Amino acid sequence: MPQKRQTIRDHTAEANLFARRTVVAIVFVSLLMLVIIINLYKLQVTQYEDYQTRSNGNRIQVLPVAPNRGLIYDRNGVILAENKPVFSLEITPEKVDELDETLEQLSALMSLTDAEVNAFKKQMKQQRRFKPISIRQQLSHDDVALFSAKQHQFPGVSIEARLSRYYPFKDTLTHMLGYVAKINKKDLEKLGQSEQLSNYAATHDIGRQGVERFHEETLHGKVGYQQVEVNNRGRIIRVLSFDPPTPGRDIVLNIDINLQKKAQEVLAGRRGSVVITDPKTGGVMALYSSPSYDPNLFVHGISTKDYSKLLQSKDSPLLNRATQGRYPPASTIKPHLALLGLETGEIDETTTIKDRGTYRLKNVDHVWRDWKKWGHGDVDVTKSVEVSCDTFYYDLAFKLGIDRISDSMKQFGFGSRTGIDLHEESGANMPSRGWKRARFGEPWYIGDTIPVGIGQSFWNATPLQLAQSLNFLVNKGEKHTPRLIQGYMVEGAVDPIPVVMQEPIQMIDEKNWDIILDSLYGTVNREHGTAHTAFRGTDYVSAGKTGTAQLFSVAQDAEYEEENVSARLRDNAMYVGYAPYSEPEISLSVVIENAGGGSSNAAPAARTIMDYYFSEVKAKGIAQKANSTAPDNVSIVSGVSSGN
């Protein structure tokens, strides 16, 4: 068998092949390296800012920081509204994958009620998903410890500590002070329209009523921001930068909490209101409406049961009777009408009528009765106020006519809002020809005018209007707008705001003021005065006017008998007064619904308040001025209306 020939290897060809492959490999690797270098360049240089931003977006967050709400003090430095730390269980819907499952697990762990879960779901529909929503507030220490041990099982759920509003005097100040409540969808819309939404980025509550609502912008403050670094679970590792919020300003009110509590005590168990002011400035020292309720119920979200109870109560505790209650002013306005009569010349200081207990018009069958069945005999203008003679004012109203009465009484603030720093205020009603035509489509009759003379007919007023109109008399036409706020607390002292003045009431004869003020003096200090019995033996000299507002008409041939009248149709008792007579320091209006006569019910209540003011409040103020080390020291920087 022939032997095969051995092939001789071509080393040159192999070397060339290896060289070619090497070149190709080098070129390929070089190209890959070039691609990598180009990509690295793009990542590190060209697109650095973009990827850095994305990275920071995962690692760094900018969080809004809510400002501390301003505190509210009374005139003596007593805190009326403060902020207390509370713990709340919060869920950020955006960070929870299975929300329903999480809610079930939380309910089992924390014993959440159906009401809490439903309230959370309702609030979630009103807010953005990236904002935390509280599902339970005011957690106990046991609740905090229980959840903290299991928190790793609930991504997107956390316990947050924050300051919450607290009202230490509860129902004593509610209608005046108001309250804060959770921000709802309607609030968000209003904030958006006013371009303030960004300032509430971290805020959960907003002023809902009273001073809290009216001075919301001052009390709220300005939002701050912090830049934080977080881990992959969203927990804050460290704070990178901090722009602190600006806290709301602390405000000081003219309110004296001791007077406010005395007003509450006087009205305990009765429906009505007390308004106490400083006649020299218009500062409101007390404003109480009875019955009241605890505003703390609303801070953390009132239950449906509790709210329904307030809403359905026949006593209307949600109504601020002091500024929204509309009552016939009754005989409290007789001094104003007497002043108008003097000013127009329809009567003078010597004008006298014979009061036999009734008043008639020629060719008119209707008879208007005086509160005193047999009349008051001879009555001049001063005595007409002191004894509250209805007949005198029936006749005066007839002479004046509704046009002059309406125009004049509007100067005293009737029929319009006083301008107090509360949104919850009614202008009530000062009737006129035009008003009746617009309201009922009927002309004004002379029979409508006669009862206006005793503060009845279509005329109604708020207790605050009564107090304001009295101050206008006391100050002889000088008009101060009622104010709750006194100023701002700055480093332990009060920086006052200016007193708001209105255009004064001008009189042709200034002597007329003195005649009316003397009649108010006589109402309290002369034997026949309707308030004389109530104020007998005081250590101070006061003046005022009683009133009794009838709430339904009595037939011509019938007499009013209280025991036969439904309790809620009985007369309202009213009183307006001030003291001391020569240099007024305090003025007030007292309205007690369905209590009966003003002289026997409202006047004694006013006496109790004034006694307390001069024996306790004023005395304490003098002592504090004499002793600069006294506690809580705050420095000040400058029908038929029964006539009795």
Side-chain angles (χ1 to χ4, degrees), residues 304-341:
T304 302
K305 179 181 178 181
D306 288 338
Y307 186 66
S308 296
K309 185 178 179 181
L310 290 173
L311 200 61
Q312 296 171 9
S313 172
K314 63 180 181 180
D315 292 330
S316 303
L318 295 174
L319 176 70
N320 185 349
R321 286 170 161 82
T323 60
Q324 295 175 304
R326 297 159 63 107
Y327 304 94
S331 298
T332 61
I333 51 77
K334 287 177 180 175
H336 304 76
L337 292 175
L339 180 65
L340 176 60

Side-chain angles (χ1 to χ4, degrees), residues 166-167 169-172 174 179 292-299 302 310:
Y166 178 69
Y167 303 100
F169 293 98
K170 300 182 179 180
D171 61 347
T172 304
T174 303
Y179 55 85
S292 186
Y293 57 95
D294 187 354
N296 293 301
L297 292 172
F298 287 85
V299 175
I302 190 171
L310 290 173

Side-chain angles (χ1 to χ4, degrees), residues 47-80:
Q47 298 179 339
Y48 170 80
E49 293 184 359
D50 181 40
Y51 285 101
Q52 180 67 27
T53 301
R54 294 187 187 183
S55 175
N56 289 340
N58 295 326
R59 184 177 62 89
I60 299 174
Q61 294 183 6
V62 177
L63 304 177
V65 181
N68 290 340
R69 193 170 182 84
L71 305 179
I72 302 177
Y73 297 87
D74 87 334
R75 67 193 299 124
N76 299 311
V78 179
I79 293 183
L80 308 180

